[in-house]
Amino acid sequence: MAFTDTVRNGYQTEIEGIKAAGLFKGERYIHSPQGSEIEVEFPVGSEIKKCINMCANNYLGLSSHPDVIAAAHAGLDSRGYGMSSVRFICGTQDIHRELENRLTGFLGTEDTLLFPSCMDANGGFFEACLNEQDVMIADRLVHASIVDGMRLCKAMQDTFKHSDMGHLEEKLQEHQDKRYRMIITDGVFSMDGDTAKLDQIVSLAEKYKAMVFLDDSHATGFIGRTGRGTHEHCGVLGKIDVITTTLGKALGGASGGCVSGRRELVEMCRQRARPFLFSNSVAPVIVAGALKVMDLITISTDRRDKLEWNTKYWRGLLKEAGFDVKEGDSPIVPVMLYDAKLAQDFAHGLFDEGVYAVGFFFPVVPKGQARIRTQLSAAHEKHHLDTAIKAFKKVGEQHGILGLGKKELVAKYAS
Ligand SMILES: *Cc1c(COP(=O)(O)O)cnc(C)c1O
């Protein structure tokens, strides 16, 4: 069938529908490297504006770190630009295996396999390791890529209410007849910044003979005393059967992901995970950069310590100013506004004041839970946060919302 006018009109109507619902996502062009200060063109076609970035996953400030860039340059020179192959044909260099071993050591697991992305790791893992005799029991707020990976797997799918251990226990009891049970959770949940109750999850897993799957993309490198992740934070290092995580956030932020965990599970992925078998190797330049990242985060905890300090300081500033901030101790700090339009207007107001933060609303978060999600970085200096809070206060005053709690905020915008 050709792309006829009828087909085109059909899609145009759908796109108009997205716009009419206020859900259209416009792009913003960034004209600088990623960092705590960036140059942004928004809306497209307008003048480029310098602003403080409060919404990157650049938790450790390594996205443009000079040592990482230098290592990537050296990797480019010594191992070339592209692999032009998947891993099992001719896409595995010594440095791919070296990075896998470094990740295994850092995460405290038995083995690791790189994937083109964590989306791919999650997309491939379940199908490779579970079948119709098994059950997957996932927290209801797990990342979209886990939901997709579960859909591709023949094992039975079930969920438990977010972080509700009583409900998880019921589900584990219900599924005792299955061959294998797998509990599936994110470590730090990206929208609320809250942390999974991994210690309790591990206890339940032991009691009901289940495996534990953890996606630690928003934690690897900085959560826990030495930044190993949510399992370190919760005191269950070595007890998680599978960890998936990304190189695309704290660990340099380029791209790439991995499955790390029990030797046999990793081997099943090496044999059977389709995104591993059928998509290109992580580029050598990224592998070389990531190896430098592993050096930097194992030599010292300075960056994750600074991130922790920045997070506490920023939370304090927001609360003092009278914002409704979601509790938690991750560097994801949501400023609750509840109303979708307010969240959008607020983000625009912040941008006018030189602060880049994005409003989140349905369907990314539940209806009536709109917010500005701020994210801290070790690349932020105190003066960035002091400047940013001035913008938040100014825009907050303009909207008359400072000091309002949830009830008052919801009432003010209910109409
Ligand atoms: C970002 C993220 C991913 C995807 O990572 P990519 O490597 O960018 O594909 C997967 N899971 C979670 C929980 C994430 O936050």
Side-chain angles (χ1 to χ4, degrees), residues 206-326:
E206 284 168 355
K207 184 168 173 191
Y208 293 100
K209 299 196 168 48
M211 293 184 272
V212 179
F213 173 104
L214 168 69
D215 179 339
D216 231 8
S217 292
H218 279 286
T220 303
F222 55 96
I223 296 288
R225 199 179 52 78
T226 63
R228 278 154 216 278
T230 314
H231 54 329
E232 180 181 40
H233 178 76
C234 295
V236 289
L237 266 174
K239 297 196 173 169
I240 307 299
D241 303 295
V242 199
I243 298 171
T244 60
T245 192
T246 183
L247 303 177
K249 292 192 169 97
L251 304 184
S255 69
C258 70
V259 168
S260 190
R262 304 293 176 201
R263 203 169 291 113
E264 294 76 11
L265 293 174
V266 173
E267 192 56 50
M268 288 303 287
C269 289
R270 198 179 282 114
Q271 300 308 315
R272 295 226 178 117
R274 294 167 68 85
F276 177 81
L277 294 173
F278 297 113
S279 190
N280 225 24
S281 290
V282 179
V285 53
I286 292 175
V287 176
L291 280 167
K292 178 52 74 178
V293 167
M294 296 314 294
D295 285 344
L296 293 174
I297 64 176
T298 39
I299 288 167
S300 144
T301 60
D302 285 358
R303 296 191 156 261
R304 60 96 39 222
D305 296 346
K306 184 174 173 197
L307 175 61
E308 194 170 67
W309 189 92
N310 282 348
T311 302
K312 283 200 183 121
Y313 184 64
W314 178 241
R315 276 187 174 281
L317 289 177
L318 284 170
K319 281 191 194 165
E320 204 180 290
F323 285 101
D324 180 4
V325 182
K326 258 206 194 292

Side-chain angles (χ1 to χ4, degrees), residues 42-285:
F42 180 69
V44 170
S46 52
E47 242 173 71
I48 296 165
K49 199 177 153 122
K50 204 169 179 183
C51 47
I52 297 172
N53 191 358
M54 297 296 295
C55 58
N57 299 316
N58 182 20
Y59 295 114
L60 294 173
L62 295 174
S63 304
S64 307
H65 190 284
D67 293 357
V68 177
I69 293 171
H73 274 293
L76 185 60
D77 290 339
S78 69
R79 298 297 151 80
Y81 173 69
M83 288 311 299
S84 304
S85 172
V86 301
R87 282 285 295 276
F88 83 96
I89 299 178
C90 54
T92 304
Q93 289 175 330
D94 55 340
I95 54 172
H96 288 94
R97 191 57 190 154
E98 192 185 338
L99 179 57
E100 287 171 344
N101 289 336
R102 293 295 297 275
L103 284 163
T104 301
F106 186 75
L107 297 170
T109 52
E110 296 175 2
D111 196 8
T112 299
L113 191 64
L114 287 173
F115 277 74
S117 68
C118 187
M119 171 106 196
D120 283 331
N122 291 336
F125 172 79
F126 300 102
E127 190 200 21
C129 293
L130 301 173
N131 69 27
E132 46 279 280
Q133 300 165 270
D134 309 321
V135 64
M136 307 175 281
I137 310 172
D139 187 289
R140 287 193 183 157
L141 291 189
V142 291
H143 192 258
S145 56
I146 294 179
V147 175
D148 286 4
M150 288 170 65
R151 279 189 193 142
L152 293 170
C153 174
K154 292 199 177 68
M156 184 181 178
Q157 293 182 40
D158 206 345
T159 59
F160 61 97
K161 291 180 201 155
H162 177 53
S163 274
D164 184 332
M165 295 298 108
H167 196 219
L168 171 59
E169 182 157 18
E170 278 172 39
K171 294 293 181 180
L172 287 165
Q173 286 165 346
E174 190 183 321
H175 294 299
Q176 282 302 299
D177 59 329
K178 299 291 188 299
R179 182 186 66 157
Y180 302 145
R181 288 156 289 286
M182 186 168 281
I183 306 170
I184 299 161
T185 186
D186 289 10
V188 170
F189 290 87
S190 58
M191 287 304 142
D192 290 348
D194 58 323
T195 307
K197 297 168 184 161
L198 261 193
D199 44 345
Q200 294 179 49
I201 288 176
V202 166
S203 301
L204 286 171
E206 284 168 355
K207 184 168 173 191
Y208 293 100
K209 299 196 168 48
M211 293 184 272
V212 179
F213 173 104
L214 168 69
D215 179 339
D216 231 8
S217 292
H218 279 286
T220 303
F222 55 96
I223 296 288
R225 199 179 52 78
T226 63
R228 278 154 216 278
T230 314
H231 54 329
E232 180 181 40
H233 178 76
C234 295
V236 289
L237 266 174
K239 297 196 173 169
I240 307 299
D241 303 295
V242 199
I243 298 171
T244 60
T245 192
T246 183
L247 303 177
K249 292 192 169 97
L251 304 184
S255 69
C258 70
V259 168
S260 190
R262 304 293 176 201
R263 203 169 291 113
E264 294 76 11
L265 293 174
V266 173
E267 192 56 50
M268 288 303 287
C269 289
R270 198 179 282 114
Q271 300 308 315
R272 295 226 178 117
R274 294 167 68 85
F276 177 81
L277 294 173
F278 297 113
S279 190
N280 225 24
S281 290
V282 179
V285 53

Side-chain angles (χ1 to χ4, degrees), residues 15-35:
I15 293 163
E16 287 312 316
I18 296 171
K19 284 183 182 161
L23 302 174
F24 190 80
K25 292 179 216 46
E27 281 190 309
R28 299 146 160 93
Y29 298 153
I30 294 173
H31 290 254
S32 61
Q34 188 61 277

